[in-house]
Amino acid sequence: MTDHSDKHLKKVAKGGALGLVGAGFSGISGFLLVGVVTNMVSLETSGHLFTLTSAFLLVSSLCVLGADTGLARFLLRFEKHERHADIPGLIRVAAQPVALVTFAAAGITFGLADPLADLLSLDPSTGPSAVRVMALVLPAAVALLFFVAGSLAFGSVRGMVLVDQTLRPTLQLVAVWVAAATGAGLVGLTWAWSLTFVVAAPLAGVMFLAITRRRREGYPEPSTRPTDRRALAKEFWAFAWPRSITRMAQMAIQRLDIVLIAALSTAANAALYTAATRFIVVGQMANQAIQQVLLPRFATLIAEDDIDSLRRVYQLSTAWSMALSWPVYVGVAGCVHLYLRIFGRSYDTFDTTLTVLIMAAAMMISVAVGPADSLLLMAGRSGLSLANTFIALAIDVVGCIILIPLVGVWGAAIAWALAVATRGLLGLLQIRFLLRIGGLGTPVLIVMAAVLGTIALPLGVANAMGYTSWSIMLPLLGVCAIVYTGVLLLAGRPLALDAFLPGLASTDKDARS
């Protein structure tokens, strides 16, 4: 069991480490992008841009129809079960409905630009034109999601890192900076933000086609006829359609609060909230990098019915995510005023301070739960994932509607925190009873103690004594990071850190097995 789980852990570590590089670059670029907008554009225009881009990401996540997770579940599974003849057909039955829905959504959005701009509380003089820009770019954004998901489903991380996490964020940051520096309004900023999808999608498509061609060349001659197209479509979409709704609900939990603040409060408050919560993306880098690699690993272990290895991979991947993301959340919470002033002094308010503290606590809980939702999905329990997400979404929406008018932006933070915590804890209970995956184990406890003892405690003492300037906090954070790293290295065996030692060279080469 140990040797088998170690094999999967090394693949998670290799792919996760490479994905972390890309996610780190993407997260930092996104953070800088918000900094550019908040420092170079008026508060109201910033709020309109953030509201529009949040709505765009919601729509694009819906249009992919859950096909991204469906590919992750079925492609390596079909290879494992030697259903090689069904793989080309599976990709086609996944792609065609996605394309149909995407072009229909783009046409509807373009035609209803005026009422949609009004619904999003955008400036009536520029909002409709900005909505039409997003409609034109929507097919490229959805295609990018699909191609990257297909590459990841085969275990290939490089395409995602190079195109979606390095090239596109870089171009986006530069384009938005140029637009802001030249005094562009909402429409110009929207063009700058969105055209990068048009550049990235064809490149991701070429990489995905190259991967599928290489793998097809390695398949043996099929001994059976391909599955009937209708049966294949039924098998795929019976799993994927609940995921499409779940994905939309997940994106709604992540982005709808910005839209609701703009609608129930002001565009300026939406900008404040966006800046205050930007650190979440940086903290999620490790979590996302590891979970993207975990999906095919979980699918393989479940197909092999190896519950012991599945439990070990789950527990250690949770600890790895915590080890990389918890220091970000604790560090931001401990330096909250310094963090907010990065976006300008007008962003350092009582409301934004509370928002940061609430969000940091919620994200620490969410990461500690582990990739429960990913495990449910790969076990074929997409219906449970859907139910969990809709419960969380209902909590978020109702909470925002009640709390935003009462207390402002930190009311949205409370609603979001309750939603995220509820969804994570429900998933944790379900995998415990359905899959016998329970008990987060020693690795998680080690990371938790290391973060609290070497980072949270020193920062708490510094804040209590009033030492909160950059000149004190930066050296203190450096010392904390060194001590924290040393503690983790001393605990290397329980954390299975040796899984990272072979390096990244064979990330894609090993993916086939």
Side-chain angles (χ1 to χ4, degrees):
M1 182 274 293
T2 301
D3 290 342
H4 192 219
S5 62
D6 283 348
K7 179 186 75 172
H8 287 281
L9 282 170
K10 288 179 180 179
K11 289 170 184 173
V12 172
K14 292 174 184 177
L18 183 58
L20 180 59
V21 174
F25 192 91
S26 177
I28 292 170
S29 297
F31 187 89
L32 293 174
L33 181 87
V34 173
V36 165
V37 173
T38 55
N39 282 282
M40 300 180 68
V41 179
S42 71
L43 199 59
E44 185 175 359
T45 301
S46 298
H48 288 152
L49 180 64
F50 295 144
T51 301
L52 183 60
T53 55
S54 295
F56 176 81
L57 293 173
L58 274 171
V59 174
S60 61
S61 68
L62 172 62
C63 289
V64 83
L65 298 178
D68 51 347
T69 307
L71 292 172
R73 171 168 166 78
F74 286 105
L75 288 182
L76 283 183
R77 189 183 186 91
F78 276 17
E79 288 190 345
K80 189 74 178 178
H81 293 163
E82 298 184 351
R83 294 178 59 180
H84 304 117
D86 286 337
I87 289 176
L90 181 81
I91 295 172
R92 285 193 294 272
V93 301
Q96 289 170 355
V98 171
L100 180 64
V101 169
T102 300
F103 282 105
I108 292 170
T109 302
F110 192 91
L112 299 178
D114 288 284
L116 288 173
D118 184 60
L119 181 65
L120 294 173
S121 302
L122 302 178
D123 186 333
S125 64
T126 57
S129 297
V131 170
R132 291 187 185 97
V133 171
M134 291 296 194
L136 292 172
V137 177
L138 181 63
V142 176
L144 178 62
L145 286 173
F146 186 90
F147 293 141
V148 168
S151 298
L152 286 171
F154 277 128
S156 175
V157 182
R158 289 191 177 96
M160 174 192 68
V161 171
L162 292 173
V163 176
D164 192 41
Q165 294 183 329
T166 303
L167 176 64
R168 185 184 61 79
T170 301
L171 292 177
Q172 201 168 61
L173 176 61
V174 172
V176 170
W177 179 82
V178 171
T182 55
L186 179 62
V187 177
L189 290 166
T190 304
W191 274 117
W193 184 87
S194 58
L195 276 178
T196 53
F197 292 99
V198 178
V199 176
L203 295 176
V206 169
M207 289 186 173
F208 177 52
L209 290 175
I211 292 167
T212 55
R213 184 170 59 251
R214 285 200 305 269
R215 298 184 82 88
R216 189 166 59 247
E217 290 170 353
Y219 296 153
E221 287 296 323
S223 56
T224 58
R225 293 173 58 85
T227 303
D228 176 74
R229 180 182 176 83
R230 288 186 178 181
L232 193 61
K234 183 179 179 181
E235 181 181 8
F236 180 85
W237 287 109
F239 170 82
W241 79 259
R243 179 58 185 162
S244 67
I245 304 172
T246 305
R247 182 180 175 87
M248 181 193 68
Q250 287 174 337
M251 285 298 297
I253 293 171
Q254 294 176 14
R255 297 281 179 173
L256 189 60
D257 43 3
I258 298 173
V259 178
L260 287 174
I261 289 172
L264 298 173
S265 183
T266 64
N269 278 339
L272 291 173
Y273 184 83
T274 301
T277 58
R278 198 68 234 173
F279 74 95
I280 291 174
V281 176
V282 179
Q284 283 179 325
M285 296 185 306
N287 208 30
Q288 291 173 346
I290 291 173
Q291 287 200 31
Q292 285 166 337
V293 184
L294 276 176
L295 289 175
R297 292 299 120 209
F298 281 163
T300 301
L301 287 169
I302 290 170
E304 296 170 349
D305 197 27
D306 189 349
I307 300 300
D308 289 335
S309 293
L310 187 64
R311 182 181 297 109
R312 185 164 184 253
V313 170
Y314 181 89
Q315 292 179 349
L316 281 167
S317 62
T318 301
W320 292 347
S321 294
M322 287 177 61
L324 292 165
S325 61
W326 267 38
V328 174
Y329 300 132
V330 171
V332 169
C335 304
V336 58
H337 297 293
L338 297 177
Y339 161 74
L340 289 169
R341 287 173 189 171
I342 293 172
F343 306 102
R345 287 193 171 271
S346 60
Y347 285 81
D348 184 10
T349 68
F350 174 79
D351 284 356
T352 53
T353 298
L354 274 181
T355 296
V356 169
L357 297 177
I358 292 167
M359 292 291 212
M363 285 308 302
M364 291 174 72
I365 294 172
S366 176
V367 176
V369 164
D373 189 65
S374 298
L375 190 50
L376 284 173
L377 288 170
M378 294 301 99
R381 303 282 184 162
S382 56
L384 278 179
S385 174
L386 174 62
N388 295 345
T389 305
F390 262 97
I391 291 170
L393 179 60
I395 292 172
D396 189 29
V397 172
V398 173
C400 282
I401 291 173
I402 293 173
L403 294 174
I404 290 172
L406 289 177
V407 297
V409 296
W410 64 272
I414 292 176
W416 186 89
L418 290 173
V420 168
T422 299
R423 178 169 173 263
L425 293 173
L426 283 173
L428 189 63
L429 289 173
Q430 288 157 356
I431 63 169
R432 181 180 181 87
F433 287 107
L434 295 173
L435 302 173
R436 305 189 306 280
I437 305 295
L440 297 181
T442 302
V444 168
L445 296 177
I446 290 173
V447 173
M448 189 180 300
V451 174
L452 295 179
T454 64
I455 302 176
L457 181 60
L459 290 179
V461 171
N463 275 278
M465 298 177 67
Y467 299 138
T468 57
S469 65
W470 283 112
S471 60
I472 293 176
M473 282 299 190
L474 280 180
L476 178 60
L477 287 171
V479 172
C480 289
I482 293 170
V483 175
Y484 172 68
T485 303
V487 170
L488 292 187
L489 291 175
L490 288 174
R493 184 178 296 274
L495 293 176
L497 297 181
D498 57 326
F500 292 88
L501 295 179
L504 307 177
S506 56
T507 301
D508 287 341
K509 183 173 65 178
D510 289 347
R512 184 181 300 274
S513 60

